[in-house]
Amino acid sequence: AGDVLLAVPLDRCLVETRDLPAAMKNAPAALTWDVRLALQLHDAILTPDDPFWVEYGTLLPKVEEMGLPLLKRGAELDVLGPELAEPARQQQQRLRELDFPREVLPALDAPDDAWPGTLPWAWALVRSRVFGATATSVNFDDGTSGTTDRFAFVPFVDMANHHAEGSAVVDAGDFFIRQLV
């Protein structure tokens, strides 16, 4: 117990702060940390800039393998009942408030082969696989400074949080994230 199974340097993770960076102070309220992290993941795995992330993207579940309500629409969403369907619709609406191109966020009435799009898929991956990392110092848009939470999409360790019994513990430090068994 307590043995390190895997250590991932924080600079190899995709990291986002809860609070908006000061440079983004005029961003819409819907551009929350999870959406910003989904944009990072989307670009990392779908553009050829970093071969590591492109290859890692092939290991992630495909959209049709994921059951998250935010990836469903119409009758497929309605059958889940209002307690799951309504929050999913609210999440979908929040993403649409940001007015992304149709190539990454198709219209609700898009053909089945275009739905749900690559950005909602990346967002679902973030929402189901992200870890809390250590807090970090930031400068807020009002000129003050303080600390804020950080969230990390951690390659390989992200796959560990899907076991029903939770047999691993994730430990986040300033320089790495490690999985303990």
Side-chain angles (χ1 to χ4, degrees):
D3 295 332
V4 176
L5 175 65
L6 178 67
V8 180
L10 197 57
D11 65 358
R12 207 57 187 129
C13 303
L14 302 175
V15 180
E16 191 58 61
T17 59
R18 178 182 305 275
D19 295 304
L20 275 172
M24 299 179 75
K25 67 180 180 179
N26 295 323
L31 193 61
T32 53
W33 69 266
D34 54 335
V35 175
R36 297 190 313 269
L37 192 53
L39 288 167
Q40 283 189 54
L41 178 63
H42 181 273
D43 290 350
I45 62 181
L46 295 174
T47 58
D49 295 340
D50 186 342
F52 169 82
W53 279 104
V54 172
E55 184 66 25
Y56 188 73
T58 67
L59 302 175
L60 295 170
K62 307 299 177 240
V63 71
E64 59 272 8
E65 298 168 350
M66 298 179 71
L68 274 74
L70 69 93
L71 297 175
K72 301 180 183 311
R73 64 179 174 172
E76 189 180 27
L77 186 55
D78 292 337
V79 76
L80 298 176
E83 59 280 346
L84 294 176
E86 285 311 310
R89 285 187 182 94
Q90 291 170 3
Q91 291 170 346
Q92 292 169 353
Q93 180 56 38
R94 182 163 64 99
L95 205 54
R96 279 168 170 56
E97 289 173 17
L98 297 169
D99 198 29
F100 288 107
R102 298 279 185 205
E103 302 84 59
V104 299
L105 183 63
L108 289 171
D109 61 354
D112 287 344
D113 65 343
W115 179 262
T118 54
L119 184 54
W121 170 66
W123 195 28
L125 288 167
V126 164
R127 304 235 351 177
S128 66
R129 294 170 173 265
V130 74
F131 291 97
T134 56
T136 189
S137 299
V138 294
N139 294 318
F140 296 109
D141 61 356
D142 64 0
T144 63
S145 61
T147 60
T148 187
D149 296 330
R150 287 190 293 185
F151 299 92
F153 193 94
V154 186
F156 304 109
V157 177
D158 75 290
M159 296 177 183
N161 70 350
H162 289 274
H163 192 277
E165 295 179 24
S167 59
V169 174
V170 175
D171 174 27
D174 284 339
F175 302 105
F176 61 89
I177 295 181
R178 50 190 190 154
Q179 181 178 348
L180 306 172
V181 291

